[in-house]
Amino acid sequence: MQAMLLAAGLGTRLRPYTNILPKPLFPVLNRPLLHLLIDMLHRAGCSKIVVNGHYLSRMLEQSVSSLPDVEFQEEQVILGTGGGIRRALSRFSREPILVMNGDIFHDIDPARLYQHHIDSKNSITMAMHDYPRFNSVTVDNDRIVSFQDAGKVPDRTLLAFTGIHVVDPEVINLIPADRPHHIIDLYESLARQGMKIGFVRVDDSYWRDIGTPDDYLQLHGELLTGCRAKNVSLPGAAGHWLIDSRAKVADDAVLTGWGCIGRAEIGRGAALHNCVIWNDAVVADGSRRNNRIIAGRGD
């Protein structure tokens, strides 16, 4: 199996936190999300993984430089979800490529999707689910009809794209080289031409987009209070709080609700409720923080 992780986005909805880290490196229970996804791919049998980067690309490159079977592709100009894969095409063999967005947390089994793609002989197979917030793709029986909401059409259903799909290199080769390109535009065109774009429903899987600070906090709240994701290696937390062994937490600091503390410093008398504290952050003495991402000194 071979895969590409798309990690070149700007993460504008997560500013100011993306001024510090690119979104794929946001820690999830004190581990970079990108590393969790790479671990998942390795366990699924992936022997080649290409990660692309544009925004804060040096951070991304350094984070994967020592990981086995991982190559980094820097994009001076952001090439989009299609252009980035087209640029990477020469790095891959002629086998299908599993493509995954690097800014989503999920427990979808990539090996199952990949095998379905091979067994079905589809040229494109997408992981889809019923997620009302993002439902916009029209499906009919076993194929995707349109990536635009076609309204209520009898016997057709609206689903959401998970950001995970398997595609044959011949399809990627249709994208013009070295130009920005959105892969859904290609898929929409191919669907209109009559090509079968298949899908696998993954409604029983855990999936969260971390596109906004509230989404990111919600993910932690769910993971720390009992939601266990399959196919993802996560540490356990005691009493809904996960604290890095290198953190310095004052004896009289009060931790309520749920939370996660990286290699950070929590001052005397500080009170934290439903918070995620990143590495190198400092929470001043006596601070009160509720439902916050704390990424620096005194956030």
Side-chain angles (χ1 to χ4, degrees):
M1 184 189 302
Q2 53 186 0
M4 183 157 187
L5 276 167
L6 302 176
L10 300 177
T12 53
R13 293 182 298 159
L14 280 163
R15 287 177 181 161
Y17 307 107
T18 44
N19 293 336
I20 300 170
L21 287 174
K23 183 162 57 166
L25 294 185
F26 275 33
V28 175
L29 299 189
N30 288 340
R31 286 199 66 199
L33 173 58
L34 186 63
H35 289 194
L36 293 173
L37 298 176
I38 289 172
D39 283 353
M40 173 189 288
L41 291 172
H42 278 149
R43 289 195 304 273
C46 223
S47 58
K48 177 185 280 290
I49 303 168
V50 176
V51 177
N52 71 337
H54 169 73
Y55 177 67
L56 297 179
S57 62
R58 287 289 175 263
M59 285 187 180
L60 286 164
E61 184 174 18
Q62 291 171 7
S63 77
V64 302
S65 61
S66 62
L67 300 180
D69 306 316
V70 179
E71 299 179 14
F72 183 75
Q73 171 177 286
E74 182 174 9
E75 297 172 8
Q76 294 292 332
V77 176
I78 194 163
L79 294 173
T81 54
I85 306 169
R86 179 64 178 84
R87 166 78 66 83
L89 196 55
S90 62
R91 299 173 182 259
F92 292 112
S93 72
R94 298 178 66 181
E95 300 300 314
I97 303 165
L98 185 140
V99 182
M100 184 184 296
N101 288 352
D103 58 359
I104 53 174
F105 180 93
H106 67 91
D107 66 3
I108 295 167
D109 183 354
R112 173 189 165 214
L113 179 66
Y114 199 87
Q115 190 60 50
H116 179 92
H117 177 83
I118 293 171
D119 293 343
S120 68
K121 299 185 177 2
N122 292 332
S123 295
I124 305 162
T125 305
M126 310 184 76
M128 307 290 295
H129 59 169
D130 182 10
Y131 203 94
R133 177 179 169 189
F134 297 118
N135 284 353
S136 61
V137 180
T138 303
V139 303
D140 185 8
N141 294 319
D142 63 345
R143 68 170 58 203
I144 291 171
V145 176
S146 174
F147 292 87
Q148 301 170 11
D149 183 349
K152 295 191 176 299
V153 179
D155 301 321
R156 294 186 179 179
T157 303
L158 284 180
L159 295 175
F161 176 40
T162 61
I164 306 162
H165 51 122
V166 184
V167 56
D168 289 349
E170 292 79 5
V171 174
I172 297 301
N173 207 38
L174 297 173
I175 298 172
D178 297 318
R179 296 183 192 173
H181 193 281
H182 184 39
I183 200 165
I184 296 301
D185 292 341
L186 172 64
Y187 289 179
E188 176 71 20
S189 175
L190 294 175
R192 291 180 182 276
Q193 293 172 38
M195 176 183 282
K196 180 187 175 185
I197 300 179
F199 66 94
V200 173
R201 289 194 65 157
V202 292
D203 299 292
D204 59 343
S205 297
Y206 182 82
W207 182 97
R208 290 292 181 270
D209 171 57
I210 61 164
T212 69
D214 285 344
D215 292 331
Y216 178 71
L217 287 170
Q218 178 186 351
L219 169 64
H220 277 84
E222 291 174 353
L223 293 176
L224 288 164
T225 57
C227 174
R228 299 307 301 171
K230 309 180 296 292
N231 305 318
V232 184
S233 179
L234 294 171
H240 301 331
W241 277 83
L242 177 67
I243 303 175
D244 188 284
S245 61
R246 297 162 293 178
K248 298 178 181 179
V249 182
D251 292 341
D252 62 350
V254 178
L255 310 179
T256 59
W258 53 261
C260 188
I261 300 175
R263 191 183 60 251
E265 183 177 339
I266 312 301
R268 296 189 59 81
L272 303 175
H273 179 82
N274 297 354
C275 290
V276 178
I277 298 92
W278 288 5
N279 288 344
D280 303 320
V282 176
V283 177
D285 294 350
S287 296
R288 300 288 187 269
R289 298 288 184 269
N290 296 320
N291 299 295
R292 291 284 299 275
I293 303 167
I294 301 173
R297 184 177 292 271
D299 285 4

